[in-house]
Amino acid sequence: MLCVSNLSVDFARYGQALGTPAAIRSLDLTVDAGQILAVVGESGSGKSLLAHAILGLLPSNSRVGGSITFKGQVLDQENVQALRGREIALIPQSVAYLNPLKRVGSQVLRAATLSGLEPTQAAKVRDTAFERYGLGFETQRLYPHQISGGMSRRVLTATATTGNASLVVADEPTTGLDQKTALESLRHLRELANNGAAVLLITHDIEACLDVADRVAVFLGGMVVEIAKAADFSDTSSLRHPYTRTLWQALPHNDFMDAPAKSYKATTANQGCVHAGDCPQADALCGETIPAWREMNGGLVRCHHA
Ligand code: SF4
């Protein structure tokens, strides 16, 4: 359904040449119909840029390389605009995406109408979405400031999914939610995948995503360094990349073992392994050459020495 190949994103800065550092580089991933691919990594590592690149929402000073295809068609600025909100839906990171001056019912209705539905059908879809996400009919009349953060998230999910999109990009859909509401939000994504959608779930919460994801892409410094099955995380020795193991072991339920001393900082050079500055196994080759993808134990890894 979605294929991202050798994607790079960098930005022109005032008084500075393009190209250093790249926010995303050599990024590859695929998402299939009926599946959830979780993209995990540290907060602030640029994961949301991937969502914005797919949706064609990057700022005008960005430069994009590589290719993004959807159902075999290369996405460019023109066709992605026609697909957005219909075939491709975004569940944004911030509830600030809701219009504070409009009742939430009318916002979901507008999304259904923009997806191409007739007014009567759009109203039915809105009502069904409110029921499906447990919002209650009376919620439709409320403004965003009158509902809780969890309800706002559900409204955003309803807004994004009224058009029965084939691809749903969920950008940190659990941020700011209590555990129960976060799990509920993730279960809604699982439902969408079970109904045939391809779901790209961008999150910093590895533990929570494992309950619903089929595969996990580990994001580091603008690259995906490993694609593992969700089940691989039940045994650390099944994980292939040194960074994935460190990230997983640093979680509270793993007793913060081997927690990284510092957060990853993007290198200024667009060469070599992104983990070379922190990796205990790094050698000269790691600093010079970006590792190619290798198949390993049913997953994929980019490491010279995995
Ligand atoms: S390529 Fe080298 S630096 Fe990168 S993760 Fe593997 S061993 Fe570490």
Side-chain angles (χ1 to χ4, degrees), residues 37-274:
L37 174 73
V39 176
V40 303
E42 295 174 22
S43 296
S45 59
K47 299 186 298 297
S48 293
L49 280 178
L50 171 62
H52 290 191
I54 294 166
L55 273 292
L57 297 173
L58 290 171
S60 58
N61 67 332
S62 58
R63 185 174 66 175
V64 180
S67 71
I68 302 175
T69 58
F70 170 69
K71 293 186 175 176
Q73 177 188 15
V74 175
L75 289 181
D76 57 30
Q77 206 55 40
E78 273 175 33
N79 60 24
V80 79
Q81 226 169 335
L83 294 168
R84 208 161 52 211
R86 296 169 187 254
E87 283 280 297
I88 305 176
L90 172 69
I91 302 176
Q93 183 172 150
S94 169
V95 294
Y97 275 72
L98 289 172
N99 185 335
L101 303 177
K102 292 215 177 293
R103 298 179 200 275
V104 293
S106 74
Q107 296 190 50
V108 176
L109 179 66
R110 183 167 183 273
T113 308
L114 288 177
S115 76
L117 298 175
E118 297 297 325
T120 318
Q121 207 185 351
K124 266 191 202 162
V125 165
R126 173 202 56 197
D127 294 347
T128 306
F130 270 76
E131 194 182 337
R132 179 181 182 187
Y133 294 114
L135 286 159
F137 189 76
E138 64 289 351
T139 310
Q140 292 189 23
R141 295 191 51 75
L142 301 177
Y143 291 91
H145 72 272
Q146 295 175 303
I147 61 178
S148 68
M151 289 168 84
S152 297
R153 284 260 160 228
R154 281 180 272 162
V155 171
L156 283 172
T157 305
T159 305
T161 55
T162 47
N164 263 336
S166 306
L167 171 66
V168 176
V169 179
D171 186 8
E172 298 280 8
T174 59
T175 300
L177 300 183
D178 60 69
Q179 196 183 14
K180 181 169 169 278
T181 316
L183 286 174
E184 194 183 14
S185 290
L186 293 174
R187 270 202 302 272
H188 289 146
L189 295 179
R190 187 67 251 174
E191 263 176 49
L192 292 172
N194 291 346
N195 289 332
V199 178
L200 181 68
L201 166 60
I202 294 172
T203 180
H204 65 279
D205 192 342
I206 312 182
E207 242 181 312
C209 82
L210 293 180
D211 285 339
V212 295
D214 298 285
R215 292 178 304 137
V216 178
V218 181
F219 191 93
L220 172 66
M223 293 178 81
V224 171
V225 295
E226 174 165 0
I227 298 181
K229 296 185 288 281
D232 292 340
F233 285 80
S234 60
D235 177 1
T236 313
S237 65
S238 301
L239 300 173
R240 301 151 191 85
H241 198 279
Y243 175 73
T244 311
R245 287 195 291 273
T246 304
L247 192 68
W248 180 240
Q249 286 171 337
L251 293 178
H253 86 274
N254 291 329
D255 299 329
F256 303 103
M257 279 169 57
D258 298 329
K262 59 183 188 303
S263 290
Y264 171 82
K265 298 281 185 297
T267 56
T268 51
N270 289 331
Q271 63 177 30
C273 172
V274 288

